[in-house]
């Protein structure tokens, strides 16, 4: 009789162990989002090669651009600043006072909305925490030599990134 009770207890513990292991596997693969902090990030735009450059220097890096429109901003002392489109509409640059000042990168819907990934897209190595960090906006003020970097997201993916190099 004592042998049957021991077998039954052992069976119960094995069953509990199997349930715990299955629960752990479920949580690992279906609940926790896996982030590889060392995964390579594709550089979409090397910001240091474009920001603060004139149209000819930007054209040497990104290729021939097309004039989209003219931008007006009284605060930036900009009456008729050209807005140029590069890489089939993926990159928009407004040249304020003849330098690439406002840079927008669009069509990034496959990119994860994470600090390291966003900064990696711009080839920025220093992983600084954003000043504003929400589900739809990550914003860095005075990141290195740039006035403002803003990333706008939707459903965990990047919609577009706006860089203000000199003016706000």
């Amino acid at each position: 009789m004592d042998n049957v009770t021991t077998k039954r207890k052992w069976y119960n513990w094995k069953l509990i162990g199997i349930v715990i292991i299955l629960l752990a596997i479920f949580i690992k693969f279906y609940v926790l989002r896996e982030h590889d902090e060392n995964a390579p990030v594709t550089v979409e735009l090397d910001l240091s090669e474009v920001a603060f450059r004139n149209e000819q220097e930007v054209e040497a890096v990104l290729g021939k651009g097309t004039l989209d429109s003219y931008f007006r901003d009284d605060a930036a002392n900009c009456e008729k600043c050209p807005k140029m489109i590069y890489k089939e509409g993926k990159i928009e640059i407004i040249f304020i006072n003849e330098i690439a000042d406002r840079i927008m990168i669009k069509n990034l819907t496959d990119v994860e909305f994470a600090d390291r990934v966003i900064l990696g897209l711009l080839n920025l190595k220093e992983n600084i925490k954003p000043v504003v960090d929400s589900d739809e906006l990550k914003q860095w003020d005075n990141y290195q030599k740039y006035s403002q970097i803003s990333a706008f997201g939707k459903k965990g993916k990047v919609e577009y990134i706006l860089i203000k190099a000199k003016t706000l």
Side-chain angles (χ1 to χ4, degrees), residues 24-41:
I25 291 171
F26 174 79
I27 290 171
K28 164 107 172 95
F29 290 109
Y30 296 104
V31 176
L32 297 177
R33 289 180 39 188
E34 189 170 319
H35 298 285
D36 187 1
E37 291 298 321
N38 298 320
V41 177

Side-chain angles (χ1 to χ4, degrees), residues 52-57 81-82 95-101:
F52 304 107
R53 309 280 186 203
N54 64 31
E55 285 186 55
Q56 291 78 24
E57 292 171 319
C81 297
F95 290 89
I96 299 175
N97 298 324
E98 299 181 10
I99 63 166
D101 197 331

Side-chain angles (χ1 to χ4, degrees), residues 2-14:
D2 192 23
N3 194 14
V4 173
T5 308
T6 305
K7 284 184 181 179
R8 202 173 280 158
K9 285 182 181 179
W10 177 245
Y11 175 77
N12 288 342
W13 281 109
K14 281 198 317 190

